[in-house]
Amino acid sequence: MDRAIGDGDHVVNLQRGLEALKQLEVELISLEWSAAFMKIGMTLMSTMGGASGSLFGTLFVSMAKASKDTDLNLANFATIFSQGVESVKQRGKSDIGEKTMLDTLIPVANSLNTDAENNLKLSQALENAKQHAVTGMESTKDLLATKGRASFLGERAIGHIDAGARTSQLMICAIADSLLKA
Ligand code: ADP
Ligand code: MG
């Protein structure tokens, strides 16, 4: 996924992390949300490698800290996820519009917050989150990269979707679909 505008390891990095999480499935199911997020974050950090390993790891570690002793309803999850995304921004010293995973994550956080404030049903909020993940991911195609390896390419990065934005969108849509089916 990052072959054209990176070093071609993003999917391999992510698969390594997801494989490690799969091994922990039984343990993760037995944990409270906060402890599960912490375990996920620490596991991603220690297994994935790459810029994305530390950033996805940071997302979950920060969500773990924000979700201590909290019920996971839509409003709380919107706050917890936003806290995680905020930490990714700080860790990556980056923001929306720089052709990274944040172009998916930030619109999704905003969408969840708006829908929680408007008391939307969870199913509608999940549909909206999916939509924002897709438009956010697609927005990276026409952007210049100012962070990460793609930034070395200047204008040559234009026309390619960012790898981390794409995998973030795929994961968010998969989680939303699984919740919508539940
Ligand atoms: P590496 O760049 O070290 O090879 P990966 O290929 O696994 O790591 O991940 C690359 C992805 O990480 C990019 O597509 C981008 O979405 C994300 N990324 C890289 N640097 C940053 C940053 N500073 N802020 C946010 N996201 C970043
Ligand atoms: Mg890479």
Side-chain angles (χ1 to χ4, degrees):
M1 228 170 256
D2 68 333
R3 201 163 287 161
I5 56 169
D7 55 354
D9 63 350
H10 181 64
V11 166
V12 180
N13 289 341
L14 188 58
Q15 276 171 340
R16 207 182 307 116
L18 295 179
E19 204 46 58
L21 291 183
K22 231 159 112 186
Q23 305 295 322
L24 295 176
E25 189 177 355
V26 176
E27 184 184 347
L28 288 173
I29 288 170
S30 73
L31 296 174
E32 300 281 333
W33 283 109
S34 175
F37 287 145
M38 183 58 81
K39 187 94 197 170
I40 291 170
M42 298 306 282
T43 305
L44 293 178
M45 277 190 190
S46 62
T47 58
M48 269 188 72
S52 61
S54 104
L55 294 166
F56 283 140
T58 297
L59 175 71
F60 281 97
V61 168
S62 173
M63 283 172 63
K65 290 178 185 156
S67 59
K68 279 225 171 78
D69 305 318
T70 311
D71 285 342
L72 227 59
N73 56 31
L74 175 59
N76 289 342
F77 183 74
T79 306
I80 292 162
F81 185 72
S82 301
Q83 192 59 54
V85 173
E86 200 51 48
S87 299
V88 174
K89 285 167 71 170
Q90 283 169 20
R91 180 81 186 225
K93 298 188 175 57
S94 48
D95 210 328
I96 199 161
E98 299 198 84
K99 204 180 181 89
T100 72
M101 59 173 68
L102 286 165
D103 291 308
T104 299
L105 299 176
I106 293 172
V108 169
N110 292 341
S111 171
L112 289 172
N113 279 317
T114 306
D115 290 353
E117 276 162 29
N118 292 325
N119 284 318
L120 258 63
K121 283 205 318 219
L122 178 65
S123 55
Q124 189 55 56
L126 291 169
E127 292 292 355
N128 292 344
K130 280 172 63 177
Q131 194 54 54
H132 282 94
V134 170
T135 32
M137 173 275 289
E138 284 171 345
S139 76
T140 64
K141 190 165 180 182
D142 299 325
L143 290 173
L144 266 175
T146 42
K147 292 282 151 50
R149 290 179 198 277
S151 63
F152 308 142
L153 296 176
E155 304 237 323
R156 275 183 294 149
I158 292 179
H160 298 280
I161 284 170
D162 173 67
R166 174 71 173 141
T167 57
S168 297
Q169 173 261 316
L170 286 171
M171 290 189 280
I172 287 164
C173 289
I175 293 166
D177 281 336
S178 146
L179 288 170
L180 284 164
K181 266 191 246 140

